[in-house]
Amino acid sequence: MKNEKKKYTRRDVINLLGKGAVASVVGASLLGNAGNIEAKAIQTLDFVIKDYRVYIHSAPQYSWSSRIYLRSSKGKSCTIYFMKEGQNLPPNQVSSTGNSGKIYFSENKYSEIRDFLRYEKPVRLTVVGTNGIATLSNDNYEAVGDYDV
């Protein structure tokens, strides 16, 4: 037999590298050397709102004019900040545990969101950690013509 060299495709190489990386992580974990290996889970905050509390501030040092604190029945929470005119909206955030978050709207959305919370039930809050998109939505479908707001 001739000494033949095996030809590897691009897929073979990627596959082998992937297996090597997994083996390194598993080996480091078993040997207790995983201190430098960090896995970051991106959380999504998602719950049906049980109740809310409104704070309206007149303090000029705040960049927001009001906030609404939302809670679930299972200990999750989120604060909606309504930013004053001319203020940039910070990115929406989800905590590393996925149990709390902060979302930002311009203050001209305050009445619309407050009315939505008053008249719709149940209301679901979702904040996607990967892209920061926050959504308030009614949690069930409604019949056409059902006027709540």
Side-chain angles (χ1 to χ4, degrees), residues 31-103:
L31 296 174
N33 296 329
N36 296 332
I37 299 170
E38 185 178 317
K40 235 181 189 179
I42 302 204
Q43 301 292 336
T44 294
L45 178 61
D46 183 58
F47 62 87
V48 172
I49 300 167
K50 175 186 85 170
D51 55 22
Y52 65 93
R53 187 170 184 181
V54 175
Y55 298 87
I56 300 172
H57 295 274
S58 65
Q61 66 266 34
Y62 295 131
S63 57
W64 43 273
S65 59
S66 55
R67 63 186 168 129
I68 300 176
Y69 183 73
L70 310 169
R71 297 188 311 175
S72 78
S73 60
K74 297 184 179 178
K76 293 184 178 187
S77 64
C78 187
T79 303
I80 303 174
Y81 292 92
F82 295 91
M83 304 302 286
K84 292 178 181 176
E85 188 176 329
Q87 296 291 321
N88 291 328
L89 295 180
N92 297 325
Q93 304 169 15
V94 176
S95 69
S96 60
T97 62
N99 289 324
S100 64
K102 296 177 184 178
I103 59 177

